[in-house]
């Protein structure tokens, strides 16, 4: 003979406990022994069932009355037999678990909304478009809510019906020893409803594939690899869920003349060795048209010059970087007789100057080491 513990003892409440006290203590024990928190623990399992059974009786004035007068045997006589398994417990007290524990019943999955998928679009733009920003339209192929049925999937004038296979629960149960295993209903795929007259436009899915034109505003300063997010322009959500987002990945084409380093525009300008030696004023293309750059006397190959504020605006601050100009000195490849004669004359002067200079350097180093 199986001896059953007293229900008041199980829930640790007095004989005159109020409904609220009983409920509060049941919650406490159910949480403590919940199978999700004690996976595989047989003792917790028994305690969990015991508490549920006690609560089932004491929360019901009629059952509580019978129990108070006749004890366990009285309840058996009235047809009460406790619970078969977790499934029974969860289906009886589902509200408590959802309201106070936020886990356990698995019932919510049926009505859970699904956010739509995010989409990616790769967009190529020119160097100038990246520098100044632009507006464009892109064609995005995506799933949208069916306009014919408003996403319901039913032909107009008809309605979804409760699934006959699972009686609308979206799940089917199967006993496996002590446990009841629940799986998604194969007929309605968990929705709990079937559509007897599917919408002809979307074949009952509630969504249709569309080619949508989406306007994209590209801010000045985007760079290769920049990513723009267009909220809500992704695929439609399921069961009334919100749509996903559309991510536009920017690919910037290279420019023949300008390069880029962060917010600085970089370029190389060829000048003759005469310009480098004597100094000159030259025209340099910038993002905003040509500008005059003054080359000082004695400019060396690779020297850098800057046009302040002629670069690309920062995406964050909007402040423009600089244009950095590197001079490249070109050596002439064809000279006239006269140019050649003059250069040779120049060279003879230069070598004398150089040798004098070297003599001085040598003298200096000899002096300092002695
Ligand atoms: Zn079903
Ligand atoms: Zn439709």
């Amino acid at each position: 003979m199986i001896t059953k513990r007293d229900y008041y003892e199980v829930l640790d409440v007095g004989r005159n406990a109020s409904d609220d006290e009983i409920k509060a203590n049941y919650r406490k024990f159910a949480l403590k022994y919940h199978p999700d928190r004690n996976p595989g623990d047989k003792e917790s399992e028994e305690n969990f069932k015991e508490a549920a059974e006690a609560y089932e009786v004491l929360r019901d004035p009629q059952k509580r009355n019978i129990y108070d007068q006749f004890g366990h045997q009285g309840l058996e006589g009235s047809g009460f037999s406790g619970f078969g398994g977790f499934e029974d417990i969860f289906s009886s007290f589902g509200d408590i678990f959802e309201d106070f524990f936020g886990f356990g019943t698995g019932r919510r999955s049926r009505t859970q909304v699904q956010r739509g998928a995010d989409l990616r679009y790769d967009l190529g733009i020119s160097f100038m478009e990246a520098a100044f920003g632009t507006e464009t339209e892109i064609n995005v192929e995506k799933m949208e809510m069916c306009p014919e049925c408003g996403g319901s999937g039913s032909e107009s004038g008809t309605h979804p019906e409760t699934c006959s296979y699972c009686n609308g629960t979206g799940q089917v149960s199967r006993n496996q020893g002590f446990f009841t295993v629940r799986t998604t209903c194969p007929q309605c795929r968990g929705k709990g409803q079937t559509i007897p007259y599917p919408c002809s436009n979307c074949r009952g899915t509630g969504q249709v594939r569309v080619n949508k034109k989406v306007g994209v505003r590209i801010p000045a300063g985007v760079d290769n690899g920049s990513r723009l997010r267009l909220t809500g322009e992704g695929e439609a959500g399921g069961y009334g869920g919100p749509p996903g987002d559309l991510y536009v990945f920017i690919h910037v084409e290279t420019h023949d003349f300008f390069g880029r380093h962060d917010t600085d525009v970089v370029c190389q300008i060829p000048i003759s060795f005469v310009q480098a030696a004597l100094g000159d004023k030259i025209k340099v293309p910038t993002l905003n048209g040509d500008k005059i750059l003054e080359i000082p006397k004695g400019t060396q190959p690779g020297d850098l010059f800057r046009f302040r504020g002629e670069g690309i605006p920062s995406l964050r601050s909007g402040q423009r970087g600089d244009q950095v100009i590197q001079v490249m000195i070109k050596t002439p490849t064809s000279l006239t007789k006269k140019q050649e004669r003059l250069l040779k004359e120049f060279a003879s002067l230069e070598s004398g100057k150089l040798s004098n200079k070297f003599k001085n350097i040598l003298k200096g180093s000899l002096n300092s080491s002695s």
Side-chain angles (χ1 to χ4, degrees):
M1 179 181 157
I2 306 158
T3 49
K4 271 188 164 179
R5 278 172 77 202
D6 175 58
Y7 288 148
Y8 292 97
E9 195 188 302
V10 168
L11 293 182
D12 193 22
V13 289
R15 293 242 146 217
N16 298 318
S18 70
D19 289 345
D20 285 344
E21 271 175 74
I22 289 166
K23 193 174 179 180
N25 270 22
Y26 170 58
R27 255 183 249 153
K28 196 174 76 187
F29 287 116
L31 186 60
K32 186 176 170 190
Y33 298 123
H34 196 284
D36 285 358
R37 297 198 153 189
N38 306 279
D41 183 343
K42 279 278 164 205
E43 205 184 335
S44 292
E45 232 170 78
E46 288 309 319
N47 288 333
F48 185 74
K49 281 181 68 189
E50 195 182 32
E53 190 180 313
Y55 179 59
E56 168 69 359
V57 171
L58 298 187
R59 74 172 183 151
D60 180 338
Q62 215 186 331
K63 284 180 189 155
R64 186 175 175 182
N65 198 23
I66 294 172
Y67 178 69
D68 284 346
Q69 289 185 57
F70 309 107
H72 290 300
Q73 279 180 332
L75 283 170
E76 273 158 33
S78 76
F80 178 75
S81 59
F83 293 108
F86 288 147
E87 169 69 11
D88 283 357
I89 296 169
F90 288 135
S91 59
S92 294
F93 307 142
D95 296 345
I96 284 200
F97 288 102
E98 284 189 354
D99 291 346
F100 299 105
F101 305 146
F103 62 81
T105 72
R107 276 198 197 164
R108 282 184 174 177
S109 59
R110 186 163 72 83
T111 49
Q112 211 163 45
V113 297
Q114 279 171 8
R115 186 176 173 277
D118 290 336
L119 292 175
R120 173 187 175 132
Y121 188 95
D122 289 276
L123 178 65
I125 58 171
S126 71
F127 186 91
M128 288 300 184
E129 285 173 329
F132 292 109
T134 185
E135 276 180 38
T136 186
E137 261 188 350
I138 58 178
N139 269 310
V140 185
E141 200 187 292
K142 62 175 181 172
M143 299 305 288
E144 282 226 314
M145 192 179 80
C146 172
E148 294 294 319
C149 62
S152 73
S154 286
E155 196 64 57
S156 75
T158 72
H159 298 283
E161 283 175 1
T162 302
C163 174
S164 57
Y165 195 80
C166 63
N167 291 321
T169 61
Q171 292 182 323
V172 285
S173 309
R174 175 165 56 87
N175 287 316
Q176 200 174 70
F178 176 78
F179 294 98
T180 302
V181 178
R182 273 191 298 201
T183 51
T184 302
C185 171
Q187 186 168 298
C188 63
R189 296 207 194 96
K191 288 182 207 163
Q193 291 184 324
T194 52
I195 294 168
Y197 303 101
C199 165
S200 56
N201 191 43
C202 63
R203 293 199 204 91
T205 60
Q207 296 188 344
V208 282
R209 187 157 286 283
V210 291
N211 234 319
K212 196 186 170 195
K213 277 195 188 335
V214 179
V216 185
R217 197 188 65 79
I218 295 159
V222 293
D223 205 348
N224 206 27
S226 291
R227 201 180 70 167
L228 306 174
R229 187 173 78 172
L230 304 183
T231 308
E233 291 292 356
E235 300 218 292
Y239 314 118
D245 297 334
L246 170 64
Y247 288 92
V248 178
F249 285 70
I250 303 291
H251 302 271
V252 182
E253 291 158 18
T254 55
H255 192 272
D256 289 339
F257 179 67
F258 297 121
R260 179 168 173 176
H261 186 262
D262 199 9
T263 57
D264 287 342
V265 165
V266 294
C267 66
Q268 292 184 321
I269 288 276
I271 58 170
S272 72
F273 72 98
V274 178
Q275 286 174 305
L278 303 177
D280 200 0
K281 284 179 182 168
I282 59 167
K283 253 195 220 168
V284 176
T286 74
L287 295 180
N288 302 300
D290 291 345
K291 248 189 116 172
I292 300 297
L293 174 67
E294 207 163 309
I295 309 255
K297 273 185 192 172
T299 290
Q300 298 299 314
D303 274 0
L304 300 174
F305 300 93
R306 255 174 209 274
F307 287 150
R308 299 261 171 224
E310 291 289 344
I312 290 165
S314 154
L315 268 181
R316 280 187 210 89
S317 66
Q319 199 172 355
R320 288 180 69 173
D322 300 335
Q323 178 165 350
V324 180
I325 304 123
Q326 184 172 41
V327 293
M328 311 299 288
I329 294 173
K330 275 193 310 190
T331 306
T333 50
S334 58
L335 295 168
T336 62
K337 287 277 173 220
K338 194 178 178 189
Q339 284 174 321
E340 215 174 300
R341 202 180 63 237
L342 287 169
L343 274 179
K344 279 179 176 161
E345 202 181 320
F346 170 78
S348 66
L349 293 168
E350 185 74 350
S351 65
K353 202 168 137 197
L354 260 181
S355 55
N356 276 339
K357 208 173 170 188
F358 271 121
K359 275 179 208 157
N360 288 337
I361 289 167
L362 279 172
K363 226 194 276 171
S365 65
L366 284 173
N367 288 345
S368 64
S369 64
S370 61

